[in-house]
Amino acid sequence: MLTDLRYAIRMLLHSPAFSLVAIVTIALGIGANTAIFSVVNGVLLRPLPFGDADRIVKVWTATTDEKRSNHSAGDFQDLQRENRSLAAIAGHRGILFTAIARPGEPAQLEGSHVTIDFFDVLGLRAALGRTFSRATDKLGDRVVVLSDQAWEKLFARSAQAIGQTIRLDGQSYVVAGVLPPKAEWPEGSQLWLLSTKEVPPSPLDINDPTADRDVRYFEAIARLRPGVTFEQAQDDLRRIALAIQQRHPQTAAGRDVRLAPLREEIVGDIRWALLVLQSAVALVLLIACANVSSLLLARATSRRRELAIRAAIGAGRGRLIRQLLTESLVLGAAGGLVGLLVGSWLMGFLVRILPETVPRTGEITFDRVVAISTLLTALLTGALFGVLPALQASQADANSVLKQSGDRGSSGRARGRAALVVLEIALTVVLLAGAGLLLNSFLRLERVESGLRPENVTVSGLTIPQSSYPTGASQTALYGRLIEALTRHGEVKAVGIGFPGPLRGSNASGSFFIEGRHSTSRADRPFAHIGSVSGGYFGAMGIPLIAGRLFSNSDSAEQPGVGMVSVALARKYWPGENAVGKRIRFEDNPKEPWMTVVGVVGDVRQLGLHEEAPPILYLPYQQFPLPFTNLAIRSTAPESVIAELIRSEMKAIDPDLPGGEVSSLQEVLNRSIDQPRFRTMLLMAFAGLALILAAVGVYGLMSYTITERTREIGIRVALGAQPRQMMHRAIRDGMVLALVGVAIGVVVALASARVLSAFLFGVDPTDPMTFAAVSIVLLAVALLASYVPSRRALKVDPIVALRSE
């Protein structure tokens, strides 16, 4: 074996150009695979940082309108009390906090109000201090657990942080513990406050959140009891949901409870996107293998005499195959080592360009698992691309070769190389088709009208401390002062506040009653996504007024309730009618006042550009106050000027008000399509690499064919054939292979295109225009790759050709 290894290294060093091309080709394929696998490993395969994480589930409320909705306090307590399958269930509600550990150094941190069982559900233990538990804490205790990042930001990683007091939104909390690094959940959270009640505090100004089961404002996670399966737990909670429906038919009719494994909730849709990309780079590696295998077949031609001599002096076919496979494995190992370096660089690049919405990016590292899998892939690759050349080269007839009368195996090698080129082209068609579909989809998504006019609009999140502004009246008064202060500036053309923010999904929704119409069940009631906005929000965001009027300062909490509806809502529930003047209310109770629709505004794709505009009911912020909202300012002034203006006015109103992230509305729109852009760019890059490799494969085959047929061409020319005829014949042979490869590739691509359907917008996965364009591009590249080497046929001198052997 050592002898074979030494000889293999010597032979590869003897042909440096061949070895360099082969190693670079392998390194590109393996490097791309390594980079994507490092992302797949970090995001999908690494264990979650929780104890027995496979038994943790996310608990959702499901309604006829929403499959994944939050929980009401009353429903949550019923689930907690009546379940037989959960070891613990915990509620949590995310919010931004203004944290002050040292005077004059406020910091805005993302965190959650959590119930006492939260860390028991996650199976998390503190790295320093302790977490919450029923044994050490009780309702009303103002304690907080910090993330490793928050510990560093607030206390510079001092061990004296435990027991220290910090102020959060104006209230004092004692630091109980610090979590290990990368153990934050929900992702991005930096601190966790123990709820002072059995449920997280409500963002609405209500005394008893358990009294209204329509107010669903927090999420829940649970841990399954030992021995309880996921299906058993789902059946158990569904039983409780049915019981809740029976006890509360007016508010809980049609409501269900659904579970989802926590890992699936964290990974989300990115799982399939990453698996598609991993499949794409695997195809690139196969194309690279076909290319190197083709190179080895060509090289075997120049080694016919050497192999024949070794066979003549007693080397059996198995011995020759072993030697040739050893050379292939050495090439694979060398390509793998270079591929490790390429993959390491590509991984760092990918991490930098990954969309913010990709979870667990902190887990993406170039670790031992990635390195070992890369080296194993390199050795497997070496064996894969070396098998066919080794089998064919070992078939050389020693007598024929030594007599220099030709090699009966040359036709076999030609067929083998032709088959490899067909394979390369077919695989390239699959990649190009996928990239073409995604590109077509992305271009359509970019052209979708969002319903907003993003030019010259700056947006900023705004969260106010409920300890300082505990009532809806105090919150609306603050918002009013801020809007008035910003409006006074001449550079501000329009200003407004609105929740939820642009393209932020549905943070509030509900069913309602329409005057004069009877709903037999809750499932039949009209449904809408709900926004809390000011009248100026529509002008600032560029949402047009279609009918009626906008909200004004006179729409206060003391005045009769009013609302505005989107075109989608008006068409759905008042088709062919004028929605202005219609009356609605949220409860079928004679004591519940009616709310009058005063205006109709344009549709907004609030759930995302890929979703149709939902029906939206807008309420004036004075009548539906929230302690968090979004500020929108339309101005031709630079974003930095507007950001400073926001900060200065907020500081003038209240120095303790936290400043939110400021960005342009165009940036918000761009971020909403980050994932489609990322996977499209990456798949196009892989398809481009595959196209180059396929072109090189066709070029190499045609060059090899012209070289092998030099004597034949000379004879034909000497007998009167025109050199151009020979060139046309060579091009024809190349194009036949290309057509066969394209045909096979189109069939495979059509069969596998359904995999991409979940990522496509406005494009059929079998779109004929895309497949036609891909076929034309590949045939054009194949024609060029066939034409260049075929021109050599024009330059063949018959005398030289006849003397070539």
Side-chain angles (χ1 to χ4, degrees), residues 126-271:
L128 185 69
R130 63 176 180 84
T131 59
F132 310 139
S133 72
R134 293 186 180 275
T136 55
D137 301 289
K138 61 182 183 299
L139 294 179
D141 287 350
R142 295 195 178 276
V143 287
V144 59
V145 171
L146 305 179
S147 70
D148 183 78
Q149 184 180 1
W151 180 38
E152 181 175 11
K153 183 179 294 186
L154 297 176
F155 294 99
R157 308 184 73 82
S158 169
Q160 304 303 314
I162 305 303
Q164 295 292 317
T165 299
I166 62 173
R167 292 187 65 79
L168 299 172
D169 288 349
Q171 294 186 333
S172 297
Y173 289 81
V174 176
V175 177
V178 177
L179 293 185
K182 300 180 181 178
E184 303 88 3
W185 193 83
E187 188 168 5
S189 294
Q190 295 173 284
L191 50 84
W192 297 263
L193 277 66
L194 177 61
S195 176
T196 56
K197 298 181 179 180
E198 294 180 352
V199 294
S202 171
L204 302 178
D205 183 18
I206 52 179
N207 293 325
D208 184 12
T210 61
D212 191 344
R213 291 177 183 260
D214 268 338
V215 180
R216 302 191 300 273
Y217 64 93
F218 64 92
E219 301 177 46
I221 55 173
R223 176 175 289 273
L224 304 183
R225 290 182 184 274
V228 174
T229 66
F230 179 88
E231 291 74 18
Q232 289 171 335
Q234 179 64 81
D235 291 341
D236 180 37
L237 297 191
R238 186 159 288 147
R239 170 188 60 81
I240 300 173
L242 290 173
I244 293 174
Q245 289 184 42
Q246 293 172 358
R247 291 195 297 264
H248 307 278
Q250 293 299 317
T251 56
R255 196 176 296 175
D256 196 2
V257 178
R258 296 187 180 178
L259 302 181
L262 183 61
R263 177 180 287 278
E264 291 184 10
E265 287 293 311
I266 292 174
V267 173
D269 295 338
I270 196 65
R271 173 195 299 275

Side-chain angles (χ1 to χ4, degrees), residues 458-462 482-483 486 495-498 537 629-633 646 650:
T458 302
V459 293
S460 174
L462 179 59
L482 181 58
I483 292 172
L486 291 170
V495 59
I497 62 169
Y537 180 79
T629 189
N630 297 272
L631 191 62
I633 297 177
I646 294 171
M650 288 178 62

Side-chain angles (χ1 to χ4, degrees), residues 452 457 459 483 494-503 532-543 550-551 604 606 618 629-632 634 665:
L452 308 170
V457 179
V459 293
I483 292 172
V495 59
I497 62 169
F499 178 86
L503 279 71
S532 171
V533 303
S534 69
Y537 180 79
F538 301 100
M541 301 297 283
I543 304 173
L550 299 174
F551 295 140
V604 176
Q606 182 63 30
Y618 297 99
T629 189
N630 297 272
L631 191 62
R634 181 173 292 276
L665 180 55

Side-chain angles (χ1 to χ4, degrees), residues 579-606:
V580 176
K582 303 297 183 181
R583 299 207 300 174
I584 62 175
R585 62 186 176 192
F586 292 110
E587 294 293 334
D588 190 17
N589 185 340
K591 296 181 180 180
E592 177 79 9
W594 290 102
M595 178 191 309
T596 303
V597 176
V598 297
V600 179
V601 292
D603 285 331
V604 176
R605 290 182 179 255
Q606 182 63 30

